[in-house]
Amino acid sequence: MRDVLPEIMHWWNSGLTFGLATVVNTFSSAPRPPGAAMAVHGDEVVGSVSGGCVEGAVYELASETGVPVLQRYGVTDDDAFSVGLTCGGIIDILVEPVSRETFPELGEISESLAAHEPVAIATVVSGPGRVGARRVIWPGRSSGTLGLERLDEAVDDDARGMLAQGLTGIRHYGGQGERRLDDLAVFVHSFAPPPRMLVFGAIDFAAAMARVGKFLGYHVTVCDARPIFATARRFPEADEVVVKWPHDYLASVRVDERTVICVLTHDPKFDVPLLEVALRTDAGYVGAMGSRRTHDDRLVRLREAGMTEAELARLRSPIGLDLGARTPEETAVSIAAELIQLRWGGSGKPLTETRGRIHHDG
């Protein structure tokens, strides 16, 4: 919807009603990802849901429907052949009428996007609930309802988790909001880029961390000053592999409160100047690998470099939770566990030793 927002906001602000078609699910080689949107008002069309394959059929549906409709197009459907879905994929598209009355939060969503504030739109797309019921979720508030308080609470939790990872997709619930059932489908459209994970040190632990980081939804960068080690071949899961002195690279990139910095070099000539930069950024997590002896030596060097106690208190070192990890993969899991714990406020204890809600509010 981001791509069509300027035009639909003009229609919305003018008090017009228009059709909005959104890809909510895809299978096989679908031409556009979930979240792709097309808007229709009269003979005006903006955006695309299939790169041209089914736009004609979606245009007709968006022009005619007065209620939200979930429509599937694919090679298993006779209608798909007639509209020319030639890629072999299947797409589910939600088509709904939009106006100031049916979507009163659209103005706030537009303001949030302009301010780069994360926001998610959760919409019931199938099941026993009311198709088209909508709830808008920000990190600290929500608006609208999906029909049941229990469902709203479950979706709020999941949507905020998806926002934190920049994920868009379908989540399933029971008719009363139960998490372990799949009677009802809710499409959560997240408007937030994936958080960044910056991994410094081109070693086997970094390769394992890149795999876990991608699994958790991060945009992963591995950085090392040594070109023989920092290669895309050694780190196929990383989105980027950068050959540069770590502290110079970190000083050159944007870091926000969702950014994770993992310092795995445990070499003073690399990690001391790097941590001087890292601990003065807005990064939500700064962790450094090494033994307790290495950590104590590192603190001495950082104090000599002028770091304050408040800055040093941000450092998570030795990195990760105490899981008894030994291998690179186990160590990556222990670091991921610490990230999840800090994000949502968990205790880090076995759930059998805790009481109350399993899912924290964050």
Side-chain angles (χ1 to χ4, degrees):
M1 190 174 72
R2 193 189 298 268
D3 294 340
V4 302
L5 191 62
E7 189 62 41
I8 67 175
M9 284 308 302
H10 171 71
W11 295 338
W12 188 85
N13 285 321
S14 299
L16 302 175
T17 298
F18 55 93
L20 180 65
T22 306
V23 177
V24 298
N25 209 1
T26 64
F27 309 88
S28 188
S29 56
R32 296 296 307 276
M38 184 176 86
V40 175
H41 178 258
D43 58 1
E44 296 182 74
V45 179
V46 293
S48 172
V49 290
S50 71
C53 296
V54 301
E55 259 70 3
V58 174
Y59 169 79
E60 295 294 335
L61 186 59
S63 299
E64 298 170 358
T65 186
V67 296
V69 175
L70 182 67
Q71 181 67 47
R72 172 166 291 184
Y73 298 94
V75 295
T76 58
D77 182 352
D78 290 341
D79 289 339
F81 287 111
S82 67
V83 298
L85 187 60
T86 59
C87 64
I90 299 172
I91 54 176
D92 288 340
I93 297 178
L94 178 70
V95 180
E96 56 186 327
V98 172
S99 66
R100 295 179 70 96
E101 290 71 32
T102 64
F103 201 164
E105 300 91 353
L106 188 56
E108 288 184 88
I109 293 170
S110 177
E111 292 173 0
S112 293
L113 295 182
H116 303 290
E117 178 187 14
V119 59
I121 305 171
T123 309
V124 174
V125 296
S126 67
R130 179 174 61 85
V131 173
R134 185 187 300 109
R135 186 167 173 86
V136 182
I137 302 103
W138 289 267
R141 61 191 174 99
S142 302
S143 177
T145 181
L146 301 177
L148 292 169
E149 183 177 355
R150 183 176 177 182
L151 178 60
D152 288 344
E153 291 175 353
V155 171
D156 283 1
D157 282 347
D158 289 347
R160 289 189 176 113
M162 295 172 72
L163 266 180
Q165 299 177 60
L167 299 177
T168 287
I170 295 280
R171 291 295 181 269
H172 293 92
Y173 306 89
Q176 300 300 311
E178 302 93 334
R179 289 181 179 275
R180 294 185 297 170
L181 300 178
D182 59 1
D183 304 323
L184 183 147
V186 176
F187 176 64
V188 180
H189 193 174
S190 295
F191 293 93
R196 299 197 67 184
M197 175 178 286
L198 307 178
V199 182
F200 295 95
I203 60 177
D204 49 0
F205 288 90
M209 198 65 235
R211 289 195 294 273
V212 171
K214 287 300 295 180
F215 178 75
L216 292 178
Y218 287 93
H219 181 281
V220 179
T221 300
V222 175
C223 175
D224 196 294
R226 302 165 297 177
I228 193 171
F229 295 111
T231 66
R233 184 175 181 179
R234 294 189 68 224
F235 301 96
E237 289 84 3
D239 295 286
E240 299 174 289
V241 179
V242 176
V243 180
K244 197 169 185 177
W245 276 87
H247 66 284
D248 289 336
Y249 173 71
L250 182 58
S252 71
V253 299
R254 181 177 178 270
V255 173
D256 60 25
E257 65 278 359
R258 298 193 304 151
T259 302
V260 167
I261 298 175
C262 298
V263 180
L264 309 184
T265 51
H266 54 85
D267 182 335
K269 70 176 177 290
F270 289 113
D271 60 18
V272 171
L274 172 59
L275 287 171
E276 284 186 68
V277 178
L279 293 171
R280 287 169 174 156
T281 68
D282 293 329
Y285 178 93
V286 180
M289 178 178 284
S291 66
R292 297 192 190 281
R293 181 177 178 179
T294 298
H295 173 63
D296 291 341
D297 176 70
R298 185 187 287 135
L299 290 179
V300 170
R301 294 173 183 269
L302 288 170
R303 289 189 180 102
E304 290 174 349
M307 302 293 293
T308 67
E309 295 304 312
E311 290 168 337
L312 294 176
R314 299 184 58 214
L315 178 60
R316 314 290 299 194
S317 177
I319 196 170
L321 292 187
D322 180 14
L323 304 182
R326 293 179 180 271
T327 67
E329 291 75 17
E330 290 174 347
T331 301
V333 169
S334 78
I335 297 170
E338 184 172 48
L339 293 175
I340 295 168
Q341 180 213 7
L342 293 174
R343 177 187 293 169
W344 299 114
S347 67
K349 298 179 181 178
L351 288 172
T352 54
E353 297 179 5
T354 65
R355 296 290 182 270
R357 291 186 65 190
I358 292 176
H359 299 281
H360 292 251
D361 291 331

